[in-house]
Amino acid sequence: MKFSQFLKNKGAIAAIFMGILYAIFMLGIFLPGYSAIPGNVDQLKVAIINDDGGEVGSAIADQLSENLPFQDIETDLTNKEALKDLEKNDLALVVHIPENFSENVQSGETSSSIDFTINEAGATTVSSTMSQVVGQINDQLSAQFSKQTAEGVLMNFHVPENQAAALSDKIETAYQGNIVTINEMPDGMNNNMLPMFLTMAGYVGAMIGAMQLVGAFKESKGKASRTRLFLYVQLTALMIAVLGGLVATGIVYLVNDPGGDVYFGMLGQQILNYMVCFNFTAIFIFLLGQGGMLLNLPVLLTQTLANGATISRDMMYAPYEWMSHISPMYYSVQAYFANLFGSTSPSPFIWSMAAVGAAAMLINIIIVAFLHKTKADEGTNADEGTEVIKATV
């Protein structure tokens, strides 16, 4: 056999096709999606809460509102309301100017500070970006107000203005930015990426499982009714979900040691994650057979970016944001963030993920009902316990 003849083999043609197609999918989806960083940072929502009644606090609030690189800045919330929104990742940063801040700065008290609160239980890009922004803000405010405070203190002691300006550089900074981190994660990228890795493990396993079990469904046509075969597929998937969930959570405890109080919640979510992803990916397989994997692949890659583990929904371009609303991966990742590291309930995300799964299962039922016929369904014998007459040509 010549090499040119070997290249005409279906396996060789399929390998060449998939190698090119995967490159197109991977780069065509990831590169445009990740170009949102840092370009779409200005889409993040922040809050500036000014509880200071003095001129200094008002000036800082106005200055931050004008200079911060964000389009959506909330100023009409209370600090308690803003922190609650931050816990839910509806805000990326809360800046709080406390009471008597102006008085403390002008008197040179070292206790004067502004609180910058960041939530680590969310997209890694958001928390890291906010840390950089806060660092820059603190550097600017420190340089600006330390000199003004020092000059004010010296002038109060009747030091001539020219001497006060010269001596002010030697006075310690009266302003200190207070960076507060809520839902702080343990050190290690294995913790930051855990919600995404758990979700991906379930999704990829479910996608491959869907291809195999739908194939078994089709091979078993004529041996049982489509209702029974569909039920067998779902029961097998549930069995895999339980076994896979136990293995996945076991590995998490060996490596990450998240604490026993979240184990059953994590296990339950992993089982649900598998079942939802199984029915979600099975739609294309029921419709197109193994060719459905050609559609499942770009959907998987799109969700990898749209799941909110790396960038928040506010920063996503429109196609990725749309995908996040129907994506089981997005709701799974957010639920894991809330359950493992957050201080809010994962229930809204769990229910949203379950709704996606229920809708996907309903679509699969409709596909099976109208597109998949079995001899048991077409025959006259309604007793599923009897043997079905073999098909004849």
Side-chain angles (χ1 to χ4, degrees), residues 230-245:
F230 186 81
L231 180 60
Y232 288 167
V233 166
Q234 295 295 328
L235 288 176
T236 305
L238 179 59
M239 182 180 68
I240 298 171
V242 173
L243 294 175

Side-chain angles (χ1 to χ4, degrees), residues 99-384:
E99 297 180 6
N100 303 323
F101 178 79
S102 296
E103 180 181 345
N104 292 339
V105 169
Q106 292 170 347
S107 64
E109 294 185 16
T110 57
S111 59
S112 58
S113 64
I114 296 177
D115 293 333
F116 298 88
T117 308
I118 303 169
N119 185 6
E120 286 196 353
T124 54
T125 300
V126 174
S127 57
S128 61
T129 299
M130 290 302 104
S131 296
Q132 295 175 6
V133 169
V134 170
Q136 294 174 1
I137 293 174
N138 276 330
D139 289 342
Q140 294 174 1
L141 290 178
S142 179
Q144 175 181 346
F145 286 97
S146 62
K147 187 169 185 177
Q148 292 178 359
T149 301
E151 290 180 0
V153 172
L154 293 171
M155 289 295 292
N156 288 337
F157 285 100
H158 307 292
V159 179
E161 184 176 355
N162 59 341
Q163 294 182 26
L167 292 173
S168 63
D169 292 333
K170 298 181 181 180
I171 298 181
E172 294 182 357
T173 302
Y175 163 81
Q176 294 291 332
N178 184 29
I179 302 177
V180 180
T181 301
I182 63 173
N183 303 324
E184 189 170 357
M185 288 189 183
D187 293 333
M189 282 296 292
N190 59 311
N191 290 297
N192 292 78
M193 301 306 294
L194 178 57
M196 180 176 175
F197 288 164
L198 272 170
T199 299
M200 286 286 292
Y203 191 100
V204 175
M207 184 174 67
I208 297 173
M211 182 177 65
Q212 300 296 329
L213 290 179
V214 173
F217 172 91
K218 293 181 177 180
E219 290 178 3
S220 301
K221 282 183 177 181
K223 299 177 182 179
S225 70
R226 55 189 165 177
T227 301
R228 176 167 291 196
L229 289 177
F230 186 81
L231 180 60
Y232 288 167
V233 166
Q234 295 295 328
L235 288 176
T236 305
L238 179 59
M239 182 180 68
I240 298 171
V242 173
L243 294 175
L246 288 170
V247 172
T249 53
I251 294 174
V252 169
Y253 267 81
L254 288 174
V255 178
N256 287 56
D257 190 22
D261 56 331
V262 299
Y263 176 77
F264 289 105
M266 183 170 59
L267 175 61
Q269 182 183 332
Q270 191 67 5
I271 294 172
L272 176 63
N273 176 42
Y274 185 95
M275 292 303 297
V276 172
C277 294
F278 174 83
N279 280 283
F280 186 83
T281 56
I283 293 174
F284 296 125
I285 310 298
F286 273 121
L287 277 174
L288 304 173
Q290 291 189 357
M293 291 298 290
L294 294 180
L295 293 177
N296 270 327
L297 183 58
V299 171
L300 166 64
L301 295 176
T302 303
Q303 288 184 84
T304 303
L305 193 145
N307 61 34
T310 305
I311 63 177
S312 69
R313 184 180 276 172
D314 294 331
M315 297 177 63
M316 297 176 189
Y317 291 123
Y320 303 91
E321 182 185 354
W322 296 336
M323 175 59 74
S324 73
H325 289 284
I326 62 171
S327 163
M329 286 182 65
Y330 176 84
Y331 298 115
S332 177
V333 167
Q334 302 310 310
Y336 274 130
F337 270 126
N339 187 32
L340 296 173
F341 307 113
S343 53
T344 59
S345 172
S347 296
F349 302 111
I350 294 292
W351 282 112
S352 296
M353 182 167 57
V356 171
M361 181 179 287
L362 179 60
I363 293 172
N364 286 327
I365 291 173
I366 294 173
I367 294 172
V368 169
F370 288 95
L371 298 183
H372 293 272
K373 299 289 185 179
T374 67
K375 290 297 180 181
D377 292 310
E378 296 173 352
T380 58
N381 191 348
D383 184 2
E384 292 185 1

Side-chain angles (χ1 to χ4, degrees), residues 41-152:
V41 168
D42 62 344
Q43 301 299 315
L44 295 175
K45 300 177 182 178
V46 302
I48 300 175
I49 314 301
N50 180 23
D51 287 334
D52 177 44
E55 295 181 357
V56 177
S58 178
I60 293 178
D62 292 341
Q63 182 179 348
L64 291 177
S65 297
E66 293 176 2
N67 297 329
L68 283 178
F70 306 110
Q71 296 182 8
D72 193 349
I73 299 178
E74 296 280 352
T75 58
D76 57 351
L77 299 174
T78 66
N79 191 49
K80 185 177 181 179
E81 292 171 339
L83 291 177
K84 184 176 294 186
D85 287 344
L86 180 67
E87 288 180 348
K88 296 186 293 184
N89 284 315
D90 291 337
L91 292 173
L93 172 69
V94 174
V95 181
H96 179 224
I97 304 173
E99 297 180 6
N100 303 323
F101 178 79
S102 296
E103 180 181 345
N104 292 339
V105 169
Q106 292 170 347
S107 64
E109 294 185 16
T110 57
S111 59
S112 58
S113 64
I114 296 177
D115 293 333
F116 298 88
T117 308
I118 303 169
N119 185 6
E120 286 196 353
T124 54
T125 300
V126 174
S127 57
S128 61
T129 299
M130 290 302 104
S131 296
Q132 295 175 6
V133 169
V134 170
Q136 294 174 1
I137 293 174
N138 276 330
D139 289 342
Q140 294 174 1
L141 290 178
S142 179
Q144 175 181 346
F145 286 97
S146 62
K147 187 169 185 177
Q148 292 178 359
T149 301
E151 290 180 0

